[in-house]
Amino acid sequence: MAVGPGTLPDFFPVAGIKLGIASAGIKKPGRKDIVVFELAPETRVAGIFTRNQFCAAPVVLSRRHLSQDAPRYLLINTGNANAGTGERGLTDAAACCEALAKEAGISASQVLPFSTGVIGEPLPVAKIVSALPEALADTREDRWAEAASGIMTTDTRPKGASRQLDLDGHRVIISGISKGAGMIRPNMATMLGFIATDARLAPEALQTLASELGEKSFNRITIDGDTSTNDACMLMASGQYGGPEITADSPLLPELRAALQDVYLELAHAIVRDGEGATKFVTIDVSGAASQQEALDVAYTVAHSPLVKTALFASDPNWGRILAAVGRAGVENLDLNALEIYLGDVCLVRNGGRADDYSEARGQAVMDQEEITIAIDLKRGNVRETVWTCDFSHDYVTINAEYRT
């Protein structure tokens, strides 16, 4: 069950970025569960990672390797998170990096590992290592769609986005894939994202884009309020588009940033649309806040409310649940008579209570839609923030109750 058609785009290959896919049989025999990114030597990489203190071994190692060397390969496995595995997890992740490095003739510190799947089980190193020759034997620039499927866990469909644009006479390509359906509440989310461009970006501009774009996309989605141990989102720039280096003050940066933002948002929204058991895609738009934190506190309180989420699943315009969530969001000195709450274009709350022109029929008409916006104007300032979420259905409980079976 998912919201919207969810079809993959026709991916534009990114010069200097090749992908290989293999089957290690980590969780299911024959399933493609290994994805390798092979990066041209001049490629620059930046990223953001989970803030969960129980971060997985591959997160620890990827951070370490990024600070030590120029990455040449990304190694992703599904079916096992290699999280909650202590020192053995680090040893196992390092062994996989060393095996790939030996096959490719590079340093182990030039490999960034990523894992997703069940927490607390040892990484099946032998299976992964045995699958590496298959993944490396046929790396190509046109395998984005296969890779999108290869990184899935409880996802019901692959997720991808691709754009091309003209920058001062040079064609620039952006392509990306993501995975995630549950344990999603980024501080970072179990999500992974990999975005690549052939633009040539200066290191400081690349890291700024990776941080800022990730913050406004992947860090604004939530399925269930659970921050994963394995979240990572990487931005790769191969530099092969033929144009000049794009720095933080380059006149070419705003247009490139806008295109990258489109890709980040599309990939993040795809995760919400494929949320475990999701039947509705919900935008929580909070305006008129006095601070960013205040706006996010209100948005996430509404987005995480089990009562709001179950009402959304039932298509029940029980607006009192939304009002109650706003009221317990912790906003000090909230003027109840000033704020307004909308469901789509229907005003629910005004002057401290139900809007005079509200009717159950109008609320029901919005709730019956597959895509819904809940807008909250706090009337306290000029800050606005948006969070995307979904409903809670019976299937969410079933999927997570049977996750390890």
Side-chain angles (χ1 to χ4, degrees):
M1 193 180 296
V3 183
T7 53
L8 282 176
D10 292 327
F11 285 99
F12 298 108
V14 179
I17 309 290
K18 296 180 180 180
L19 301 94
I21 298 94
S23 175
I26 294 172
K27 193 171 181 181
K28 295 180 181 179
R31 187 193 185 283
K32 298 294 187 182
D33 51 13
I34 298 292
V35 173
V36 169
F37 281 79
E38 179 185 319
L39 314 181
E42 61 271 29
T43 303
R44 291 167 175 162
V45 181
I48 53 176
F49 298 90
T50 183
R51 295 169 192 162
N52 191 311
Q53 293 188 58
F54 254 118
C55 61
V59 170
V60 174
L61 208 56
S62 283
R63 281 176 171 153
R64 185 182 302 166
H65 286 182
L66 264 177
S67 69
Q68 292 175 341
D69 218 330
R72 291 294 313 284
Y73 284 85
L74 276 57
L75 170 60
I76 306 113
N77 76 268
T78 66
N80 185 295
N82 194 14
T85 48
E87 285 299 319
R88 176 176 174 177
L90 287 170
T91 301
D92 288 346
C96 292
C97 292
E98 289 162 6
L100 192 154
K102 184 177 179 180
E103 290 279 344
I106 59 169
S107 167
S109 60
Q110 293 180 288
V111 180
L112 305 182
F114 303 88
S115 299
T116 181
V118 176
I119 293 171
E121 296 183 1
L123 191 70
V125 175
K127 288 183 176 182
I128 294 172
V129 170
S130 66
L132 293 179
E134 178 189 351
L136 295 171
D138 188 26
T139 57
R140 303 197 310 267
E141 293 178 353
D142 63 353
R143 304 193 73 183
W144 284 91
E146 293 172 82
S149 295
I151 63 173
M152 292 167 54
T153 50
T154 60
D155 309 59
T156 68
R157 59 196 189 189
K159 303 164 180 66
S162 196
R163 299 285 191 281
Q164 62 176 340
L165 65 151
D166 182 276
L167 282 186
D168 197 28
H170 298 279
R171 189 179 75 146
V172 171
I173 299 298
I174 305 167
S175 286
I177 57 176
S178 64
K179 66 80 50 184
M183 198 182 279
I184 302 290
R185 192 280 166 99
N187 278 319
M188 255 334 282
T190 304
M191 67 139 282
L192 296 174
F194 303 99
I195 299 96
T197 178
D198 56 3
R200 187 178 172 215
L201 279 155
E204 70 277 6
L206 184 69
Q207 184 60 63
T208 297
L209 287 170
S211 299
E212 292 181 355
L213 296 176
E215 184 65 23
K216 290 292 187 176
S217 56
F218 293 108
N219 274 345
R220 293 292 185 272
I221 62 174
T222 181
I223 303 299
D224 44 27
D226 278 314
T227 297
S228 165
T229 54
N230 289 62
D231 304 334
C233 181
M234 310 308 294
L235 178 59
M236 300 162 271
S238 70
Q240 297 196 11
Y241 84 121
E245 182 174 70
I246 300 171
T247 62
D249 58 358
S250 169
L252 301 179
L253 186 61
E255 189 174 354
L256 176 60
R257 188 188 192 282
L260 281 165
Q261 184 177 42
D262 285 346
V263 169
Y264 269 76
L265 282 171
E266 186 172 341
L267 293 174
H269 290 178
I271 290 173
V272 176
R273 292 179 182 278
D274 194 29
E276 290 171 342
T279 69
K280 296 185 186 296
F281 177 82
V282 185
T283 300
I284 312 290
D285 181 47
V286 178
S287 60
S291 68
Q292 181 187 62
Q293 190 59 55
E294 183 175 280
L296 290 175
D297 285 345
V298 172
Y300 278 119
T301 303
V302 175
H304 290 153
S305 167
L307 292 178
V308 172
K309 292 169 85 68
T310 50
L312 287 162
F313 171 61
S315 297
D316 177 12
N318 191 344
W319 57 269
R321 294 181 176 184
I322 303 172
L323 176 146
V326 173
R328 65 180 172 83
V331 178
E332 293 186 3
N333 303 314
L334 183 61
D335 188 344
L336 303 180
N337 291 316
L339 69 83
E340 295 181 347
I341 302 174
Y342 286 80
L343 185 64
D345 60 354
V346 177
C347 187
L348 302 174
V349 175
R350 186 186 292 123
N351 297 323
R354 186 176 69 181
D356 291 340
D357 55 348
Y358 174 76
S359 71
E360 188 82 358
R362 294 181 67 208
Q364 188 66 60
V366 177
M367 271 295 195
D368 286 339
Q369 298 170 16
E370 194 176 50
E371 302 195 17
I372 295 171
T373 296
I374 297 172
I376 302 148
D377 187 350
L378 299 176
K379 308 286 188 180
R380 293 164 55 86
N382 299 313
V383 178
R384 184 174 194 166
E385 286 288 345
T386 304
V387 166
W388 296 275
T389 191
C390 61
D391 56 336
F392 265 163
S393 71
H394 306 295
D395 285 345
Y396 177 86
V397 177
T398 301
I399 289 166
N400 284 283
E402 299 175 352
Y403 182 67
R404 297 203 304 162
T405 60

